């Protein structure tokens, strides 16, 4: 995906940023570890249903989500669709 496309798609999801136009990420904040872990588990359910698995870093009160398409080692439209579905969980 070209950089201009990445920027256009980023405008359609809230709070996501990119790393060199190859990955998108967002950190979600929660009041405690239990909330963060529950959110990560809900992401896992979506990921399994979609067959598209983000990297998740769970810490006390936060979940950092990083998405990219491993097959192309970059971004595709499906990455932004997954990001939007994750946003719907909040």
């Amino acid at each position: 995906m070209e950089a201009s496309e990445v920027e256009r798609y980023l405008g359609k999801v809230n709070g996501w940023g990119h790393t060199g136009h190859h990955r998108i990420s967002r950190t979600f904040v929660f009041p405690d570890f239990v909330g963060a872990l529950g959110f990560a588990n809900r992401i896992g359910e979506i990921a399994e249903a979609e067959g598209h698995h983000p990297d998740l870093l769970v810490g006390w009160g936060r979940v950092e989500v990083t998405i990219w398409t491993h097959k192309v080692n970059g971004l595709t439209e499906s990455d932004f669709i997954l990001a939007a579905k994750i946003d719907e969980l909040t």
Side-chain angles (χ1 to χ4, degrees):
M1 184 175 275
E2 296 294 323
S4 61
E5 275 187 295
V6 171
E7 295 299 330
R8 186 167 49 87
Y9 277 101
L10 275 175
K12 297 180 181 190
V13 291
N14 296 319
W16 292 83
H18 67 82
T19 305
H21 298 100
H22 296 289
R23 290 172 171 69
I24 56 172
S25 63
R26 180 176 174 187
T27 299
F28 296 85
V29 178
F30 299 89
D32 53 30
F33 184 78
V34 172
L37 186 59
F39 183 69
N41 286 328
R42 291 194 317 271
I43 292 172
E45 291 171 7
I46 291 172
E48 278 299 301
E50 296 291 317
H52 193 48
H53 303 92
D55 283 355
L56 304 175
L57 175 61
V58 179
W60 194 95
R62 66 177 163 62
V63 178
E64 181 180 321
V65 182
T66 303
I67 304 172
W68 77 98
T69 299
H70 296 87
K71 186 175 183 177
V72 300
N73 195 27
L75 292 168
T76 64
E77 184 179 24
S78 65
D79 298 310
F80 292 92
I81 292 169
L82 180 59
K85 288 182 179 188
I86 291 170
D87 284 346
E88 290 176 0
L89 296 174
T90 58

